Amino acid sequence: MIALVDANNFYVSCERSFNPALEGRPVIVLSNNDGNVVARSPEAKELGIKMGQPFFEVEGLISEHKIAVFSSNYTLYGDMSARIMSTLGRFVEEVEVYSIDEAFLNLKGYESVYPDLVDLAQKIRATIAKWQRIPVSIGISHTKTLAKIANWYVKRQPAQNGVLLLSDPVDIDARLQEFDVKELWGIGHRYTSLLKRNGIKTAWQLRQCPNDWVRQHMTVNGLRLVYELRGTPCKMLELEPAPKKAICTATSFGRLVPDLKDMTEALTTYVARAAEKLRRQHSSAGVITVFLHTNRYRRSPNGEPAKQYYNSRTVQLPHPSASTPELVGYAKAALTSIFQPGYLYQKVGVILTGLVPDTHLQKSFFQADPDENLLKLTRIVDKLNTRYGRDKVRLAGQGFSPTWPMKQKYLSRCYTTRWSDILQAD
């Protein structure tokens, strides 16, 4: 059996975890630069606030309904997620961290330890509620897809008390007959349209489709989904996440930036972030792409569309590298080649591709070898920053008092990762 543990309204729940006064009150969390709503409490949903809705459209409701507003605090959310995943590891060995607020558990072989799986799930919920103060929902079934469906139902049926076990074939059939195909895991708009054009509206109807038809119209991935609906596991738990094939860092500026100096400072910071992620998965990059663009929605004072500009430059490195100074050098050269004065830029970003293991250091007669001393230096910097805090040691080109970071007007404290933000008991 497979269990899916999903934190309810995770970003909102993290804020409420350290501020009990938010319980029962409408709460929303905003995206980067406080642009859109990315998380809502049930009370905020009842007010009609939609996921992804621009913040300016709901500002009028804030004072009227006493809505609590927060900027995304990814430091807090990431640490709370890690604590929840660590808690799950106390109950079972095999835990797949599927996303920041979801995890699959392999319950096979635990029947003698936990004869009642619903009771186990309730213990998991109670432990997380006690230790992290985060409410979670748990769906249990024969496959990951059926566990997803069970979790979908439990979030919409309070009578289930946060846990739903789908094991009885009759119960599974009844649930699938009510389950819209558009809600299925991995079914997008294109496949939804295809299925409904062919009269397939529910998960149960899709499960009954012939294998050949599914393979022809939905490829082998669609066939795996159908087998999972039939109770045959095809999606195994991924206990060790596969290395990323590309790493991108590109955050919108908190203000429009007109000059190359600030753009270069921001790009240097983004490359440092991307290189840090690169080293964390023990990879090196062979290709670096730099891009920039203006705000396409911006208008000039007279109401006319403002001047727009977008460009990018891709550089093939002479050898794969994970050294921050080396990657910054190539990125700055690429930025200089595409920057055009006279525009107000909204974003600059970097994408690292052509990733290979960091042991892949091929020598060449015609090209310079990788500077191993630079790579050793950046690894030492990583250790220092891990111990003393991000950017305690950094390149001077990253700046010390930047004016371009994203807006976070409603940012909460980093209660679990910063000494000065730890709650104090009076």
PDB file of all heavy atoms in Angstrom, residues 5-8 84 101 121 124-126 128-129 134-138 151 155 161-163:
ATOM      1  N   VAL A   5       0.945  11.822   1.846  1.00  0.00           N
ATOM      2  CA  VAL A   5       0.780  12.810   2.913  1.00  0.00           C
ATOM      3  C   VAL A   5       0.886  14.191   2.282  1.00  0.00           C
ATOM      4  O   VAL A   5       1.890  14.514   1.649  1.00  0.00           O
ATOM      5  CB  VAL A   5       1.845  12.632   4.007  1.00  0.00           C
ATOM      6  CG1 VAL A   5       1.644  13.652   5.122  1.00  0.00           C
ATOM      7  CG2 VAL A   5       1.805  11.215   4.567  1.00  0.00           C
ATOM      8  N   ASP A   6      -0.148  14.995   2.445  1.00  0.00           N
ATOM      9  CA  ASP A   6      -0.211  16.313   1.805  1.00  0.00           C
ATOM     10  C   ASP A   6      -0.580  17.356   2.858  1.00  0.00           C
ATOM     11  O   ASP A   6      -1.623  17.243   3.510  1.00  0.00           O
ATOM     12  CB  ASP A   6      -1.253  16.283   0.681  1.00  0.00           C
ATOM     13  CG  ASP A   6      -1.247  17.560  -0.151  1.00  0.00           C
ATOM     14  OD1 ASP A   6      -0.432  18.460   0.133  1.00  0.00           O
ATOM     15  OD2 ASP A   6      -2.070  17.662  -1.076  1.00  0.00           O
ATOM     16  N   ALA A   7       0.281  18.358   3.037  1.00  0.00           N
ATOM     17  CA  ALA A   7       0.009  19.420   4.006  1.00  0.00           C
ATOM     18  C   ALA A   7      -1.092  20.333   3.469  1.00  0.00           C
ATOM     19  O   ALA A   7      -1.083  20.713   2.290  1.00  0.00           O
ATOM     20  CB  ALA A   7       1.273  20.221   4.280  1.00  0.00           C
ATOM     21  N   ASN A   8      -2.028  20.687   4.310  1.00  0.00           N
ATOM     22  CA  ASN A   8      -3.164  21.511   3.910  1.00  0.00           C
ATOM     23  C   ASN A   8      -2.769  22.990   3.872  1.00  0.00           C
ATOM     24  O   ASN A   8      -2.251  23.518   4.865  1.00  0.00           O
ATOM     25  CB  ASN A   8      -4.326  21.338   4.890  1.00  0.00           C
ATOM     26  CG  ASN A   8      -4.789  19.900   4.991  1.00  0.00           C
ATOM     27  OD1 ASN A   8      -4.544  19.097   4.092  1.00  0.00           O
ATOM     28  ND2 ASN A   8      -5.452  19.564   6.083  1.00  0.00           N
ATOM     29  N   ILE A  84       8.913  18.213   8.480  1.00  0.00           N
ATOM     30  CA  ILE A  84       7.804  17.265   8.278  1.00  0.00           C
ATOM     31  C   ILE A  84       8.312  15.982   7.649  1.00  0.00           C
ATOM     32  O   ILE A  84       7.958  14.865   8.080  1.00  0.00           O
ATOM     33  CB  ILE A  84       6.707  17.907   7.409  1.00  0.00           C
ATOM     34  CG1 ILE A  84       6.004  19.034   8.188  1.00  0.00           C
ATOM     35  CG2 ILE A  84       5.683  16.863   6.965  1.00  0.00           C
ATOM     36  CD1 ILE A  84       5.013  19.826   7.363  1.00  0.00           C
ATOM     37  N   ASP A 101       5.293  20.162  -0.085  1.00  0.00           N
ATOM     38  CA  ASP A 101       4.236  19.838   0.880  1.00  0.00           C
ATOM     39  C   ASP A 101       3.614  18.463   0.665  1.00  0.00           C
ATOM     40  O   ASP A 101       2.564  18.165   1.223  1.00  0.00           O
ATOM     41  CB  ASP A 101       3.134  20.900   0.815  1.00  0.00           C
ATOM     42  CG  ASP A 101       2.476  20.994  -0.553  1.00  0.00           C
ATOM     43  OD1 ASP A 101       2.999  20.393  -1.510  1.00  0.00           O
ATOM     44  OD2 ASP A 101       1.444  21.676  -0.674  1.00  0.00           O
ATOM     45  N   ALA A 121      -2.026   6.281  10.041  1.00  0.00           N
ATOM     46  CA  ALA A 121      -2.151   7.598   9.424  1.00  0.00           C
ATOM     47  C   ALA A 121      -2.581   8.648  10.444  1.00  0.00           C
ATOM     48  O   ALA A 121      -2.094   9.785  10.432  1.00  0.00           O
ATOM     49  CB  ALA A 121      -3.144   7.539   8.264  1.00  0.00           C
ATOM     50  N   ILE A 124       0.379   9.614  12.453  1.00  0.00           N
ATOM     51  CA  ILE A 124       1.248  10.520  11.690  1.00  0.00           C
ATOM     52  C   ILE A 124       0.689  11.936  11.727  1.00  0.00           C
ATOM     53  O   ILE A 124       1.419  12.908  11.981  1.00  0.00           O
ATOM     54  CB  ILE A 124       1.399  10.030  10.240  1.00  0.00           C
ATOM     55  CG1 ILE A 124       2.191   8.718  10.197  1.00  0.00           C
ATOM     56  CG2 ILE A 124       2.082  11.089   9.375  1.00  0.00           C
ATOM     57  CD1 ILE A 124       2.271   8.088   8.819  1.00  0.00           C
ATOM     58  N   ARG A 125      -0.614  12.073  11.498  1.00  0.00           N
ATOM     59  CA  ARG A 125      -1.246  13.385  11.530  1.00  0.00           C
ATOM     60  C   ARG A 125      -1.096  14.031  12.902  1.00  0.00           C
ATOM     61  O   ARG A 125      -0.773  15.221  13.019  1.00  0.00           O
ATOM     62  CB  ARG A 125      -2.734  13.288  11.181  1.00  0.00           C
ATOM     63  CG  ARG A 125      -3.039  12.892   9.751  1.00  0.00           C
ATOM     64  CD  ARG A 125      -4.531  12.941   9.462  1.00  0.00           C
ATOM     65  NE  ARG A 125      -5.008  14.310   9.377  1.00  0.00           N
ATOM     66  CZ  ARG A 125      -5.891  14.857  10.195  1.00  0.00           C
ATOM     67  NH1 ARG A 125      -6.394  14.151  11.189  1.00  0.00           N
ATOM     68  NH2 ARG A 125      -6.282  16.099  10.022  1.00  0.00           N
ATOM     69  N   ALA A 126      -1.316  13.248  13.951  1.00  0.00           N
ATOM     70  CA  ALA A 126      -1.240  13.794  15.312  1.00  0.00           C
ATOM     71  C   ALA A 126       0.189  14.221  15.649  1.00  0.00           C
ATOM     72  O   ALA A 126       0.398  15.264  16.300  1.00  0.00           O
ATOM     73  CB  ALA A 126      -1.739  12.755  16.310  1.00  0.00           C
ATOM     74  N   ILE A 128       2.625  15.180  13.498  1.00  0.00           N
ATOM     75  CA  ILE A 128       2.975  16.391  12.753  1.00  0.00           C
ATOM     76  C   ILE A 128       2.246  17.600  13.335  1.00  0.00           C
ATOM     77  O   ILE A 128       2.813  18.692  13.449  1.00  0.00           O
ATOM     78  CB  ILE A 128       2.654  16.211  11.259  1.00  0.00           C
ATOM     79  CG1 ILE A 128       3.563  15.137  10.653  1.00  0.00           C
ATOM     80  CG2 ILE A 128       2.801  17.522  10.494  1.00  0.00           C
ATOM     81  CD1 ILE A 128       3.246  14.780   9.222  1.00  0.00           C
ATOM     82  N   ALA A 129       0.990  17.411  13.728  1.00  0.00           N
ATOM     83  CA  ALA A 129       0.233  18.506  14.331  1.00  0.00           C
ATOM     84  C   ALA A 129       0.871  18.950  15.651  1.00  0.00           C
ATOM     85  O   ALA A 129       0.880  20.146  15.980  1.00  0.00           O
ATOM     86  CB  ALA A 129      -1.212  18.084  14.567  1.00  0.00           C
ATOM     87  N   ILE A 134       1.217  21.644  11.850  1.00  0.00           N
ATOM     88  CA  ILE A 134       0.768  21.724  10.451  1.00  0.00           C
ATOM     89  C   ILE A 134      -0.284  20.640  10.230  1.00  0.00           C
ATOM     90  O   ILE A 134      -0.018  19.455  10.477  1.00  0.00           O
ATOM     91  CB  ILE A 134       1.938  21.512   9.466  1.00  0.00           C
ATOM     92  CG1 ILE A 134       3.017  22.580   9.664  1.00  0.00           C
ATOM     93  CG2 ILE A 134       1.438  21.514   8.021  1.00  0.00           C
ATOM     94  CD1 ILE A 134       2.622  23.965   9.223  1.00  0.00           C
ATOM     95  N   PRO A 135      -1.491  20.997   9.737  1.00  0.00           N
ATOM     96  CA  PRO A 135      -2.493  19.960   9.429  1.00  0.00           C
ATOM     97  C   PRO A 135      -2.168  19.268   8.103  1.00  0.00           C
ATOM     98  O   PRO A 135      -1.782  19.921   7.132  1.00  0.00           O
ATOM     99  CB  PRO A 135      -3.793  20.764   9.324  1.00  0.00           C
ATOM    100  CG  PRO A 135      -3.357  22.136   8.895  1.00  0.00           C
ATOM    101  CD  PRO A 135      -2.010  22.355   9.521  1.00  0.00           C
ATOM    102  N   VAL A 136      -2.305  17.942   8.078  1.00  0.00           N
ATOM    103  CA  VAL A 136      -2.052  17.195   6.848  1.00  0.00           C
ATOM    104  C   VAL A 136      -3.222  16.274   6.553  1.00  0.00           C
ATOM    105  O   VAL A 136      -3.973  15.890   7.451  1.00  0.00           O
ATOM    106  CB  VAL A 136      -0.745  16.362   6.941  1.00  0.00           C
ATOM    107  CG1 VAL A 136       0.456  17.252   7.174  1.00  0.00           C
ATOM    108  CG2 VAL A 136      -0.844  15.291   8.012  1.00  0.00           C
ATOM    109  N   SER A 137      -3.375  15.937   5.276  1.00  0.00           N
ATOM    110  CA  SER A 137      -4.360  14.948   4.830  1.00  0.00           C
ATOM    111  C   SER A 137      -3.613  13.749   4.276  1.00  0.00           C
ATOM    112  O   SER A 137      -2.558  13.911   3.646  1.00  0.00           O
ATOM    113  CB  SER A 137      -5.277  15.532   3.754  1.00  0.00           C
ATOM    114  OG  SER A 137      -5.979  16.645   4.247  1.00  0.00           O
ATOM    115  N   ILE A 138      -4.146  12.547   4.490  1.00  0.00           N
ATOM    116  CA  ILE A 138      -3.453  11.325   4.063  1.00  0.00           C
ATOM    117  C   ILE A 138      -4.416  10.426   3.298  1.00  0.00           C
ATOM    118  O   ILE A 138      -5.479  10.066   3.797  1.00  0.00           O
ATOM    119  CB  ILE A 138      -2.875  10.567   5.271  1.00  0.00           C
ATOM    120  CG1 ILE A 138      -1.925  11.474   6.067  1.00  0.00           C
ATOM    121  CG2 ILE A 138      -2.152   9.299   4.814  1.00  0.00           C
ATOM    122  CD1 ILE A 138      -1.338  10.817   7.301  1.00  0.00           C
ATOM    123  N   ASN A 151      -6.483  11.107  -1.502  1.00  0.00           N
ATOM    124  CA  ASN A 151      -6.137  12.373  -0.847  1.00  0.00           C
ATOM    125  C   ASN A 151      -7.035  13.505  -1.338  1.00  0.00           C
ATOM    126  O   ASN A 151      -7.428  14.380  -0.563  1.00  0.00           O
ATOM    127  CB  ASN A 151      -4.662  12.702  -1.098  1.00  0.00           C
ATOM    128  CG  ASN A 151      -4.116  13.725  -0.133  1.00  0.00           C
ATOM    129  OD1 ASN A 151      -4.400  14.907  -0.258  1.00  0.00           O
ATOM    130  ND2 ASN A 151      -3.332  13.265   0.826  1.00  0.00           N
ATOM    131  N   LYS A 155      -9.569  15.696   1.334  1.00  0.00           N
ATOM    132  CA  LYS A 155      -9.511  17.148   1.512  1.00  0.00           C
ATOM    133  C   LYS A 155     -10.888  17.795   1.357  1.00  0.00           C
ATOM    134  O   LYS A 155     -11.113  18.901   1.838  1.00  0.00           O
ATOM    135  CB  LYS A 155      -8.540  17.764   0.497  1.00  0.00           C
ATOM    136  CG  LYS A 155      -7.071  17.601   0.857  1.00  0.00           C
ATOM    137  CD  LYS A 155      -6.205  18.197  -0.229  1.00  0.00           C
ATOM    138  CE  LYS A 155      -4.742  18.193   0.177  1.00  0.00           C
ATOM    139  NZ  LYS A 155      -4.430  19.148   1.242  1.00  0.00           N
ATOM    140  N   ASN A 161     -12.024  12.784   8.667  1.00  0.00           N
ATOM    141  CA  ASN A 161     -11.045  13.105   9.714  1.00  0.00           C
ATOM    142  C   ASN A 161      -9.607  13.081   9.207  1.00  0.00           C
ATOM    143  O   ASN A 161      -8.686  12.656   9.909  1.00  0.00           O
ATOM    144  CB  ASN A 161     -11.187  12.148  10.896  1.00  0.00           C
ATOM    145  CG  ASN A 161     -12.526  12.306  11.609  1.00  0.00           C
ATOM    146  OD1 ASN A 161     -13.005  13.432  11.804  1.00  0.00           O
ATOM    147  ND2 ASN A 161     -13.147  11.194  11.978  1.00  0.00           N
ATOM    148  N   GLY A 162      -9.424  13.525   7.966  1.00  0.00           N
ATOM    149  CA  GLY A 162      -8.071  13.688   7.435  1.00  0.00           C
ATOM    150  C   GLY A 162      -7.432  12.449   6.866  1.00  0.00           C
ATOM    151  O   GLY A 162      -6.297  12.500   6.387  1.00  0.00           O
ATOM    152  N   VAL A 163      -8.114  11.299   6.884  1.00  0.00           N
ATOM    153  CA  VAL A 163      -7.531  10.048   6.376  1.00  0.00           C
ATOM    154  C   VAL A 163      -8.577   9.289   5.572  1.00  0.00           C
ATOM    155  O   VAL A 163      -9.733   9.181   5.998  1.00  0.00           O
ATOM    156  CB  VAL A 163      -7.023   9.148   7.530  1.00  0.00           C
ATOM    157  CG1 VAL A 163      -6.491   7.838   6.972  1.00  0.00           C
ATOM    158  CG2 VAL A 163      -5.943   9.851   8.327  1.00  0.00           C
TER     159      VAL A 163
END
